[in-house]
Amino acid sequence: MNPAQADAYLHRLGATRPQHPTTEALRELHLRHLRTVPFENLSIHLGEEIVLEEKRLLDKVVEARRGGFCYELNGGFGALLAALGYEVRLLAARVYGDEGRLGIPYDHLALRVRTADGGDWLVDVGFGAHSHYPLAFAERGEQPDPGGTFRVAEAGPDPAGVLGGGAGSAGAPDLDVVRNGRPQYRLETRPRALGDFVAGAWWHSTSPQSHFTRSLVCSRVTEDGGRITLSGRALTTTAPDGRKETRELGTDEEVLAVYRERFGIGLSRVPTVRSQNRND
């Protein structure tokens, strides 16, 4: 990412270029990203190609002022942070699903970011409802956050009896990221490249077993610390204390107006779930 591209990304976030890659600046950029760039899977249902290449991510998030899912959001944000002087590593994770089952390899992309003032952080702007600020990577106790109470813990054996880690990660075990007592995803500590996640992005974009192909979502953190989510025609507003209000939008014009006015996304038509488009 060149300086002009980095400045355009910062402008998208409403942020100025930090003088130094510090923890304080990282926290501000993290929260601004969550408030400004929606977590959304609209491309899957609009028939748009998802390409995990830096320029294509910038074209979508910065130029088109769209959002994306984990590979796009953390992939783009990681490139920005590297351009600003942070030390950035891409990490692969498997998301916990029903009954504690782990998802596919490369199920999720998260970031490990080191700062100039000695910070070592788990950064994730691509998991939907998650921490508002980076989590301390080496801290094993509870970490209070506006998004909940989090903990980064050494993981036990997976269902196959494998502990994780090994030579590829300097012997470090996998980590479980826990929110409010519930495991969210299992994180590998071995660094990866963006291209390693292509198969995971393809699976989530095409498989009928992926929740991304079976539902529509567009969500962001609000300025008061709550959250607004549009799932199909259901608009849910979550207050900072967790109280939720949901209403059903009646017309296409209402849906398009919410995308435009609440998420900054201009669409020419209302997306519908891909499986419904195919009648399967």
Side-chain angles (χ1 to χ4, degrees):
M1 185 182 298
N2 62 44
Q5 291 172 321
D7 286 340
Y9 205 135
L10 290 168
H11 181 72
R12 166 83 163 102
L13 302 182
T16 57
R17 181 182 286 266
Q19 292 185 345
H20 304 286
T22 63
T23 293
E24 181 180 0
L26 175 63
R27 285 172 57 84
E28 179 183 354
L29 290 170
H30 194 279
L31 183 59
R32 283 184 178 271
H33 206 289
L34 293 172
R35 288 177 172 174
T36 307
V37 184
F39 177 86
E40 50 105 334
N41 67 341
L42 306 183
S43 288
I44 294 171
H45 306 287
L46 291 169
E48 299 171 350
E49 186 180 17
I50 295 172
V51 181
L52 298 189
E53 296 173 359
E54 184 176 299
K55 184 181 183 304
R56 295 290 292 271
L57 298 183
L58 296 178
D59 287 345
K60 183 176 181 180
V61 172
V62 179
E63 298 300 325
R65 304 187 71 82
R66 285 281 302 279
F69 58 175
C70 69
Y71 311 105
E72 300 168 291
L73 299 182
N74 284 326
F77 191 45
L80 171 65
L81 294 176
L84 296 177
Y86 291 94
E87 181 185 327
V88 180
R89 295 181 178 181
L90 277 59
L91 303 182
R94 299 171 67 190
V95 178
Y96 279 94
D98 297 336
E99 299 177 357
R101 290 192 296 268
L102 289 166
I104 63 169
Y106 301 100
D107 202 11
H108 180 60
L109 187 162
L111 305 171
R112 182 176 186 177
V113 178
R114 289 192 169 99
T115 65
D117 50 2
D120 186 9
W121 302 97
L122 174 61
V123 168
D124 195 341
V125 296
F127 197 68
H130 198 60
S131 66
H132 292 196
Y133 295 102
L135 300 175
F137 198 89
E139 172 60 50
R140 296 295 174 258
E142 291 187 346
Q143 301 189 49
D145 179 271
T149 300
F150 290 82
R151 190 162 54 88
V152 180
E154 290 191 5
D158 66 14
V162 177
L163 185 61
S169 56
D174 293 345
L175 301 172
D176 277 341
V177 179
V178 180
R179 175 178 180 247
N180 295 335
R182 181 176 179 178
Q184 302 295 291
Y185 55 80
R186 177 162 293 195
L187 190 71
E188 297 180 6
T189 55
R190 173 185 175 184
R192 301 290 183 174
L194 185 59
D196 293 340
F197 295 87
V198 168
W202 174 83
W203 188 88
H204 276 300
S205 302
T206 60
S207 173
Q209 297 181 26
S210 167
H211 62 92
F212 286 115
T213 63
R214 292 185 275 114
S215 62
L216 278 159
V217 65
C218 186
S219 183
R220 68 171 180 85
V221 172
T222 52
E223 286 68 22
D224 64 358
R227 176 171 290 276
I228 182 171
T229 301
L230 181 59
S231 182
R233 292 181 179 270
L235 178 64
T236 300
T237 302
T238 305
D241 63 4
R243 289 179 294 120
K244 295 178 184 286
E245 292 184 3
T246 300
R247 66 184 178 94
E248 197 77 11
L249 303 179
T251 66
D252 286 359
E253 288 73 21
E254 285 183 279
V255 175
L256 293 175
V258 168
Y259 279 125
R260 182 176 61 252
E261 296 167 8
R262 305 303 301 272
F263 299 100
I265 296 176
L267 298 177
S268 60
R269 63 182 176 90
V270 173
T272 55
V273 174
R274 184 173 182 167
S275 61
Q276 295 176 354
N277 296 334
R278 293 181 173 182
N279 296 317
D280 57 15

